[in-house]
Amino acid sequence: MKVSFVFFTDPPRPFSSSVAQLAAVVRAAGHEASALEVGREERIVDAARRLEAEAADVVAISSMTRDWPGAAGLLRELESDAFVVVGGYHATMAPRDVALSPRVDAICIGEGERPLAALLDRLSTGTLDASLPGLWLRADAGFADAPPAADPEPVIDALPRWDYEIFGDVRELLGRGINTFGPHVDGYLPVRASRGCPFTCAYCSAPRWGKVLGLSDARMKNVRDVSALCEELADLRDRYAPEGFEFWDEHFPIPLAWLEAFARAYPRRVGLPFKVEMHPNAATRPRLELLAEAGCVLFHCGVEAGDEALRRDVLDRRSSDARLEQLFADCRELGLPTSASLMTMLPTETRAQAHSTVSLLRKLRPGSIIWSTYQPLPGTVLGEAAVEAWPGPARETFDDYDDLVSRTPADMTELERGETFHELATLQNELVTAAGQAPPRPLDRPTGKRAPSEGLLALLGLGAVRVRSARLDPSGLILELAADSFEPREIVLAPLEEGARHYRRAQHLGLSYRGKDAPRALLDCLDAMALRLASATFAEVCAAL
């Protein structure tokens, strides 16, 4: 049987750890596997045609919550008789949401290795007639029974090694860069030493995921044996010649005995630089010293928000400013480069609190940052309180969920949102520039793209010209326009500044188009817009969003 895995990336990154592991399981069972990367800006219908060309017997979709609206849209377009199974965080946290898609035949609950192997065995022999552990099967009456319990792998060292080659020539992929941490493209190969996270942050799916899998059960070995791990990493080093390894654990192992064994074995048996992620409260000086001794060249942690009370009371992220400052100071003393992640537009967040994030980051001085816009997730403390704000069905492209969900907290205006993004982008650019001359990797920058409001459309008065989306970024308000007379193009509305170049000027606004030239119809549209917005201010336009 042929299994085609579908996974979603933003920015483009032709690698998925879930697919790498599951493809290895498929091939170990004697079946064929392929992988299809889908970009966030791809048209849904185009992705459906590419998937049909795979001519698969089984389509396996790995989906996060943000991906599911587009994935469901893809399935609506799919013209294939393939058996469809959906897994991943969203399928586990909200299986009944996935069950609403009439094209889904089975839903994987929790880890997929054992359920997928059982599914392929039953499909091959024609004996799939009921749900299995970890696999919720559609019956004649639909998904009428209760979802089954998960069927996790109790000893992850027993799993086959990741299949990197399903994504193509691995050395070529390393040259393109599939790394996550740090500001620059590099040739680090993703690997994993463990599964699960011991912390209970209110915005994160990991606590619920751990409960579903029963990771607290003493029979589960979710941390790999140091000797077996190092043996595999040495083989990967010899086969693919990566620059180093990037551990994609939800949380790098923290038992001191394990870290001590790792610090002894890794330099001798592997010897390549590596990167890890760890919660600030777990990153004690002894653990950092062991990481540095083993050869760690980048320590990543989540700062998430600059306001200590917001972190503690809303996010259940109980890391004080003093703890964060000590952590980053320890890393500097040990010569450990750092990176940090943070979220914007958090529940109850104000503009002052958002500004405090930048202030704290400037005090911590990480080498780089990754930032994203908060999204409520099913199965989380904050997500369950905002279930109505989950993304709705996508329409044309896989990022249409941005158009459908407001991502601005009640205590922040759209203009303040834009100011926050501008402030963070400025800091991010400073850090990337300071980090050296290597080419910057694609950075996860939230766009804030959304469908235009009726108020904005009325203010612009564009008639037959359609506004497909609107977003604020450091350069101004970006509108994507489309019409029968020209292809979709982006234009920029920005506050009028002395010396700035604009195609047209209103009293307070400058209007520009993106690209070297523009069709006459687009220029006519800009002329009409400049007249329409003759005395409007930038704040008034943003308020209409």
Side-chain angles (χ1 to χ4, degrees):
M1 301 184 72
K2 179 178 180 180
V3 180
S4 289
F5 291 96
V6 180
F7 66 102
F8 304 87
T9 60
D10 179 31
R13 184 183 291 116
F15 182 79
S16 162
S17 59
S18 299
V19 172
Q21 181 67 86
L22 292 171
V25 170
V26 168
R27 289 181 171 170
H31 303 285
E32 181 184 354
S34 65
L36 188 74
E37 178 192 8
V38 177
R40 299 292 303 166
E41 296 184 358
E42 182 172 1
R43 294 176 67 238
I44 288 173
V45 65
D46 293 339
R49 299 294 87 82
R50 287 200 297 132
L51 181 55
E52 290 163 4
E54 294 287 309
D57 302 295
V58 176
V59 168
I61 294 180
S62 178
S63 173
M64 305 291 279
T65 293
R66 74 170 188 177
D67 303 321
W68 178 243
L74 183 154
L75 292 177
R76 285 194 297 272
E77 292 285 345
L78 186 64
E79 297 177 2
S80 165
D81 294 329
F83 186 95
V84 175
V85 57
V86 179
Y89 272 105
H90 190 71
T92 297
M93 301 296 110
R96 295 194 181 279
D97 185 35
V98 175
L100 295 175
S101 171
R103 190 61 184 81
V104 173
D105 298 303
I107 299 170
C108 182
I109 308 297
E111 292 177 355
E113 292 87 3
R114 293 159 71 91
L116 182 58
L119 169 66
L120 296 178
D121 179 66
R122 299 291 180 89
L123 287 176
S124 299
T125 59
T127 57
L128 183 64
D129 55 6
S131 294
L132 304 169
L135 190 75
W136 195 19
L137 186 69
R138 179 186 293 278
D140 292 341
F143 291 93
D145 56 338
D151 186 18
E153 173 55 56
V155 181
I156 60 174
D157 267 326
L159 292 169
R161 294 179 177 182
W162 285 3
D163 181 356
Y164 292 91
E165 294 176 9
I166 193 172
F167 306 103
D169 184 281
V170 179
R171 295 186 184 228
E172 190 272 332
L173 294 176
L174 289 171
R176 293 168 58 185
I178 52 178
N179 61 301
T180 299
F181 304 140
H184 298 304
V185 171
D186 60 37
Y188 280 62
L189 189 67
V191 293
R192 179 167 285 166
S194 66
R195 290 181 175 179
C197 176
F199 292 89
T200 58
C201 302
Y203 54 85
C204 182
S205 299
R208 172 76 175 277
W209 182 267
K211 289 181 180 179
V212 169
L213 298 185
L215 289 180
S216 61
D217 192 320
R219 294 171 298 176
M220 294 286 291
K221 287 187 63 178
N222 64 319
V223 178
R224 296 199 58 188
D225 175 75
V226 168
S227 179
L229 174 64
C230 288
E231 179 183 356
E232 178 177 342
L233 297 181
D235 288 347
L236 292 172
R237 175 200 62 199
D238 297 342
R239 177 178 297 185
Y240 301 127
E243 292 179 35
F245 295 109
E246 187 169 275
F247 284 92
W248 280 15
D249 302 44
E250 292 95 335
H251 193 286
F252 197 69
I254 58 176
L256 281 175
W258 190 95
L259 287 170
E260 289 167 353
F262 183 76
R264 289 193 301 269
Y266 184 89
R268 175 174 52 85
R269 299 180 62 184
V270 185
L272 291 182
F274 65 91
K275 310 174 189 178
V276 302
E277 179 176 11
M278 191 178 286
H279 192 289
N281 291 1
T284 60
R285 179 72 181 228
R287 291 188 176 104
L288 292 174
E289 290 173 347
L290 288 169
L291 289 174
E293 180 184 339
C296 181
V297 295
L298 190 141
F299 178 87
H300 178 87
C301 73
V303 171
E304 309 309 354
D307 185 85
E308 187 171 326
L310 179 65
R311 287 199 305 273
R312 181 188 64 243
D313 299 336
V314 177
L315 305 183
D316 197 17
R317 186 83 173 180
R318 298 177 181 274
S319 304
S320 66
D321 288 353
R323 174 72 202 112
L324 291 167
E325 290 173 30
Q326 184 63 57
L327 164 60
F328 281 83
D330 284 343
C331 285
R332 280 190 289 273
E333 286 184 16
L334 294 168
L336 266 178
T338 55
S339 68
S341 55
L342 60 120
M343 292 182 290
T344 64
M345 307 300 111
L346 292 161
T348 76
E349 188 175 24
T350 65
R351 175 69 183 105
Q353 289 174 322
H355 175 71
S356 71
T357 300
V358 176
S359 299
L360 178 60
L361 288 168
R362 290 192 180 280
K363 185 181 296 185
L364 300 179
R365 291 183 288 151
S368 61
I369 60 174
I370 302 171
W371 54 294
S372 59
T373 300
Y374 166 77
Q375 176 182 329
L377 299 175
T380 67
V381 173
L382 292 179
E384 292 298 328
V387 62
E388 293 182 359
W390 293 357
R395 293 168 293 175
E396 294 183 4
T397 63
F398 290 89
D399 60 359
D400 274 350
Y401 78 101
D402 280 321
D403 297 350
L404 302 171
V405 181
S406 173
R407 302 297 176 83
T408 305
D411 294 323
M412 194 182 299
T413 68
E414 288 288 342
L415 185 58
E416 289 173 333
R417 171 194 174 103
E419 292 171 348
T420 298
F421 283 7
H422 178 82
E423 194 173 28
L424 284 167
T426 299
L427 173 62
Q428 190 178 49
N429 289 334
E430 290 175 5
L431 295 174
V432 170
T433 301
Q437 300 301 313
R441 68 173 179 84
L443 293 169
D444 302 314
R445 291 181 178 172
T447 64
K449 188 175 80 168
R450 58 174 49 206
S453 68
E454 292 297 326
L456 180 63
L457 294 176
L459 182 64
L460 298 177
L462 294 181
V465 176
R466 303 181 298 279
V467 183
R468 295 182 53 170
S469 67
R471 73 180 190 274
L472 283 165
D473 80 359
S475 60
L477 176 62
I478 314 300
L479 302 177
E480 185 183 18
L481 305 184
D484 294 338
S485 53
F486 59 85
E487 293 294 317
R489 292 289 297 270
E490 286 190 343
I491 67 166
V492 184
L493 274 64
L496 198 60
E497 296 181 4
E498 190 65 32
R501 297 178 60 186
H502 303 288
Y503 170 72
R504 283 288 179 267
R505 291 169 176 256
Q507 184 175 344
H508 303 292
L509 293 170
L511 290 79
S512 309
Y513 57 85
R514 290 193 160 177
K516 293 184 178 180
D517 50 32
R520 183 68 256 172
L522 179 62
L523 298 179
D524 290 343
C525 176
L526 285 170
D527 291 340
M529 194 183 304
L531 292 174
R532 179 87 177 185
L533 299 173
S535 60
T537 66
F538 187 66
E540 289 171 342
V541 175
C542 291
L545 276 174

